[in-house]
């Protein structure tokens, strides 16, 4: 055993030390000590490297443990908090808890309002008025559940926008509808409603035409509700109403049904009729009158008032007929006379005229038509005017004088005796019924059978049926004056025999006879 300044060294340890020294150093032939190359010393360093490796592993294990602890701590943190850089519609949710986000959502909901503007509208609805609702607890939890806390190392530095997770509902649409309807109704009260295209008579064009629709500015409540509801569901702060919410005309000018209606109505007013009486236009029936009888239904149907047309025909007949009516004329000697009654004049067949006019209107006839005439006069000059022309017998009861005008000139005249005191001569415009000459005049009792008298005459010229006429009266010697007051006829016009003969030879059947006072 050796002893050194470092202590006692055993023989074995001494040998190990020498061997180690020899392994590291050698002596040159000249006696110089030098270190051996590293390759020659590799086996001698193995124990040293093993120890370093153990240290390194220990360090790595410690670091791994620390990292694991940090990771697990992050998992614990982000299991209840939102990641940094997390936003929701511009609101920063970084490191907020689910409960905090829930409170934030509820506050946003409580503070919500929406401005509605456009198309003349500008008002604001509160959240309560909109009826908006949101399950804030569920949404906050759902937002947080979109993240995995286990992935926090990768997610913590990334940006996150959770706006798409927001969900709103209009659980009470009636609330929003009520609020909007109030505003829409208030606006529409002073707005102009749209007008559908329609068929109307155009005075300037003289026909039925399709009038174009007119755009108004009233609002469609349902369209407004739809636009605002969508904006509220998106939690928008404002919504601008576009032209789609304005009420639109439902029927436009190109509507085929309207054009068919106009065509049908124009056909009903296409007739243009001149109703002729005695060669004179007594009435005109055209579109100005016809259009007043045309009715256009809201469903596009066209109807014609046949009753009104019939009434018009009846009025035409009444205004055109002259039989028995008052007629005024001035006799050539200047005496102005008004006469009524009698059976001479124009008499029109009413029902046949109705049928004729109705058919003409239906067919759109244009031109002259002459109604069915039952009785005619010499001419037609209108209601209340003379219609017997220039040839007639004028029997003046007041003057007790008769005149026969032919072509406006007197060609025969005489005094006569007329009836009186219950046997008055009928007044009116009549016409000669027969002119056969001799006859026997008979009078009857009221029973119409018992003959009270018989009087043969040579010239019998009846004008009121076959009961009253002009005739010769050879049993009288005087005529004219006031004889009829005391000794009048039984209604006939008694003439001197000579004058009766003359008249018999001048007149013809149908000649007007006017008896007047």
């Amino acid at each position: 055993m050796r002893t050194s300044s470092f202590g006692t060294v055993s023989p074995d340890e001494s040998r190990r030390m020498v061997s180690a020294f020899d392994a590291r150093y050698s002596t040159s032939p000249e006696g110089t000590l030098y270190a051996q190359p590293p390759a020659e010393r590799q086996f001698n360093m193995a124990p040293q490297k093993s120890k370093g490796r153990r240290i390194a592993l220990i360090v790595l294990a410690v670091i791994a443990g620390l990292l694991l602890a940090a990771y697990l701590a992050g998992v614990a943190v982000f299991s209840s908090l939102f990641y940094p850089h997390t936003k929701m519609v511009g609101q920063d949710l970084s490191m907020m808890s689910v409960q905090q986000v829930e409170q934030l959502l509820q506050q946003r909901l409580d503070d919500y309002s929406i401005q509605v503007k456009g198309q003349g509208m500008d008002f604001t609805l509160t959240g309560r008025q909109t009826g908006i609702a949101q399950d804030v607890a569920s949404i906050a939890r759902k937002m947080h559940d979109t993240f995995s806390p286990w992935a926090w190392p990768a997610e913590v530095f990334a940006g996150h926008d959770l706006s798409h997770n927001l969900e709103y509902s209009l659980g009470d649409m009636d609330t929003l509808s009520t609020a909007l309807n109030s505003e829409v109704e208030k606006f529409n009260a002073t707005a102009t409603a749209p007008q559908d295209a329609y068929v109307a008579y155009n005075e300037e064009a003289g026909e039925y035409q399709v009038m174009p629709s007119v755009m108004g500015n009233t609002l469609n409540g349902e369209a407004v509700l739809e636009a605002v509801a969508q904006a509220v569901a998106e939690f928008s702060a404002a919504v601008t109403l576009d032209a789609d919410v304005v009420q639109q005309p439902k029927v436009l000018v190109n509507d085929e049904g309207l054009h068919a209606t106009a065509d049908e109505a124009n056909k009903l007013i296409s007739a243009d009729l001149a109703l002729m009486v005695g060669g004179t236009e007594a009435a005109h029936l055209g579109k100005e009158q016809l259009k007043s009888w045309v009715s256009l239904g809201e469903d596009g149907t066209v109807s014609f008032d046949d009753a009104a047309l019939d009434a018009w025909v009846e009025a035409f007949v009444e205004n055109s007929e002259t039989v028995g009516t008052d007629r005024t004329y001035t006799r050539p000697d200047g005496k102005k006379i008004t006469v009524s009654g009698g059976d001479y004049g124009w008499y029109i067949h009413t029902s046949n005229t109705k049928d004729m006019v109705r058919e003409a209107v239906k067919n759109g006839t244009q031109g002259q038509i002459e109604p069915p005439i039952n009785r005619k006069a010499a001419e037609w000059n209108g209601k209340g005017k003379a219609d017997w022309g220039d040839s007639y017998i004028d029997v003046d009861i007041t003057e007790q004088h008769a005149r026969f005008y032919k072509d406006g000139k007197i060609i025969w005249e005489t005094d006569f005796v007329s009836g009186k005191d219950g046997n008055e001569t009928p007044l009116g415009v009549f016409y000669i019924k027969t002119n056969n000459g001799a006859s026997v005049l008979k009078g009857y009792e009221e029973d119409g059978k018992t003959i009270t008298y018989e009087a043969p005459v040579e010239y019998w010229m009846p004008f009121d049926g076959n009961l009253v006429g002009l005739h010769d009266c050879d049993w009288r010697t005087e005529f004219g004056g006031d004889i009829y007051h005391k000794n009048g006829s039984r209604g006939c016009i008694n003439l001197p025999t000579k004058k009766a003969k003359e008249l018999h030879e001048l007149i013809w059947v149908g000649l007007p006879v006017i008896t007047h006072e």
Side-chain angles (χ1 to χ4, degrees), residues 34 40 50 62 133 159 303 310 322 327 410 441 443 446 469:
Y34 63 92
E40 298 175 358
S50 177
V62 171
S303 59
D310 287 348
T322 60
R327 280 164 279 186
I410 298 176
L441 307 182
E446 293 182 1

Side-chain angles (χ1 to χ4, degrees), residues 329 331 335 337 394-398 427 514-517:
Y329 68 105
R331 206 166 55 189
K335 183 176 181 177
I337 302 164
D394 184 277
V395 179
D396 194 324
I397 302 300
T398 302
L427 304 180
I514 306 168
T515 59
H516 62 88
E517 294 180 335

Side-chain angles (χ1 to χ4, degrees), residues 450-461:
T450 304
I451 298 176
T452 58
Y453 73 91
E454 292 185 359
V457 297
E458 292 296 323
Y459 308 104
W460 172 237
M461 297 165 280

Side-chain angles (χ1 to χ4, degrees), residues 72-82 95 144 149:
L72 292 176
V75 170
V77 169
F78 294 114
S79 292
S80 60
L81 299 181
F82 284 79
M95 305 306 293
H144 189 268

Side-chain angles (χ1 to χ4, degrees), residues 274-292:
L275 278 72
M276 310 300 290
V277 178
T280 300
E281 183 176 320
H284 178 264
L285 182 59
K287 63 180 62 176
E288 288 303 314
Q289 180 63 62
L290 292 170
K291 67 183 175 64
S292 67

Side-chain angles (χ1 to χ4, degrees), residues 21-282:
F21 180 85
D22 292 341
R24 295 184 182 183
Y25 299 95
S26 298
T27 303
S28 67
E30 293 84 10
T32 305
L33 183 67
Y34 63 92
Q36 292 185 13
E40 298 175 358
R41 293 187 280 116
Q42 286 180 356
F43 295 101
N44 295 328
M45 294 179 64
Q48 202 80 349
K49 290 183 67 177
S50 177
K51 183 178 180 180
R53 187 176 295 111
R54 286 196 299 271
I55 294 172
L57 290 175
I58 291 171
V59 171
L60 289 175
V62 171
I63 293 174
L66 292 174
L67 291 175
L68 177 61
Y71 173 75
L72 292 176
V75 170
V77 169
F78 294 114
S79 292
S80 60
L81 299 181
F82 284 79
Y83 286 135
H85 313 296
T86 299
K87 294 182 179 181
M88 174 192 69
V89 290
Q91 181 74 42
D92 189 5
L93 305 183
S94 299
M95 305 306 293
M96 282 189 178
S97 68
V98 173
Q99 290 73 23
Q100 288 176 316
V101 171
E102 180 180 335
Q103 293 173 0
L104 177 64
L105 290 173
Q106 185 61 51
Q107 188 62 47
R108 291 181 76 251
L109 194 63
D110 293 341
D111 294 341
Y112 178 68
S113 65
I114 183 170
Q115 182 184 17
V116 181
K117 56 186 178 180
Q119 305 305 320
M121 302 291 279
D122 191 354
F123 61 92
T124 299
L125 296 177
T126 65
R128 184 180 299 275
Q129 287 176 305
T130 64
I132 190 171
Q134 186 180 53
D135 187 351
V136 294
S138 175
I139 291 176
R141 174 55 58 188
K142 185 184 293 185
M143 284 182 173
H144 189 268
D145 288 348
T146 59
F147 301 121
S148 172
W150 301 98
W152 70 265
E155 299 288 350
V156 73
F157 298 107
H160 306 283
D161 190 344
L162 302 181
S163 301
H164 64 281
N165 290 283
L166 291 174
E167 295 178 357
Y168 302 93
S169 66
L170 293 174
D172 186 5
M173 280 292 287
D174 289 342
T175 299
L176 178 60
S177 178
T178 299
L180 287 177
N181 284 343
S182 175
E183 295 292 339
V184 170
E185 288 175 2
K186 183 168 60 177
F187 177 83
N188 285 348
T190 58
T192 301
Q195 183 176 0
D196 291 341
Y198 63 100
V199 177
Y201 185 79
N202 187 322
E203 294 287 349
E204 184 176 348
E207 64 178 2
Y208 284 93
Q209 293 182 342
V210 179
M211 304 301 175
S213 58
V214 178
M215 179 67 72
N217 64 333
T218 53
L219 302 180
N220 183 323
E222 291 183 1
V224 173
L225 177 60
E226 181 179 353
V228 175
Q230 181 177 350
V232 170
E234 296 171 356
F235 210 73
S236 300
V239 58
T240 300
L241 302 176
D242 58 23
D244 290 341
V245 304
V246 178
Q247 288 185 349
Q248 303 291 321
K250 297 179 181 178
V251 183
L252 304 180
V253 70
N254 59 352
D255 185 85
E256 294 182 359
L258 290 182
H259 286 277
T261 296
D263 291 343
E264 185 178 354
N266 283 325
K267 183 177 180 180
L268 289 174
I269 65 169
S270 62
D272 192 80
L273 307 175
L275 278 72
M276 310 300 290
V277 178
T280 300
E281 183 176 320

